[in-house]
Amino acid sequence: MNLQKIVWPALAVVMVGFAWRGYGWPGVALAVGAIVMWMLMHFSRMMRVLHRASRRPVGWCDSAVMLNAKLRPGVSLLHVLALTRALGELVSPQDTQPEVFRWTDGTQSSVTCEFADGRLVKWELARPAADPDPAAAAGS
């Protein structure tokens, strides 16, 4: 079970309780206002990231190598969407855990990310094979 699903609401209830005990109804109004403002800020960020991602092709990123360098374990899917500014191409079967998404750039390099419960667990950079004979590719 995800502990954050219990801790954040419990913390909000404790915050409202302390506000009531210390300042009465004005304290409760201030605490509830702060909680609502915090929720609206996160909702606004999520909508901005998804709006930006909806304007780009699915599974596209500017540079897979740079994306690979910026990733770290435990970041959320929303954070990766903000980095790539695009939705990932779903590689795993839909509605199964772990979820696997792929982002590809113009050089056909790709980053495949595995998310468990919305958090990045592991990722892999795949680059196309280089031409073994550069002189033959140049037409010499």
Side-chain angles (χ1 to χ4, degrees):
M1 179 183 223
N2 192 354
L3 192 60
Q4 288 186 2
K5 290 182 181 180
I6 297 171
V7 172
W8 288 113
L11 186 63
V13 168
V14 168
M15 186 173 137
V16 170
F18 278 129
W20 167 259
R21 184 167 168 91
Y23 299 102
W25 285 112
V28 170
L30 181 67
V32 169
I35 291 168
V36 169
M37 181 61 74
W38 180 78
M39 291 172 64
L40 286 172
M41 284 179 14
H42 284 280
F43 181 77
S44 175
R45 178 179 182 261
M46 179 182 66
M47 293 306 293
R48 190 171 50 250
V49 167
L50 291 175
H51 178 71
R52 196 176 295 150
S54 71
R55 295 175 176 230
R56 296 190 64 181
V58 173
W60 178 261
C61 66
D62 292 328
S63 173
V65 175
M66 290 303 296
L67 175 62
N68 181 56
K70 291 179 182 179
L71 293 176
R72 60 185 188 278
V75 299
S76 66
L77 177 58
L78 185 64
H79 182 79
V80 177
L81 290 178
L83 287 174
T84 61
R85 296 183 180 150
L87 299 173
E89 174 190 357
L90 184 62
V91 177
S92 63
Q94 193 168 6
D95 297 330
T96 60
Q97 289 292 327
E99 294 175 312
V100 181
F101 293 96
R102 179 182 304 128
W103 285 270
T104 307
D105 65 8
T107 64
Q108 299 307 313
S109 297
S110 65
V111 176
T112 304
C113 300
E114 183 177 313
F115 295 89
D117 296 322
R119 297 287 176 176
L120 184 62
V121 178
K122 64 181 180 177
W123 66 95
E124 180 181 344
L125 174 67
R127 300 182 84 176
D131 192 13
D133 187 10
S140 299

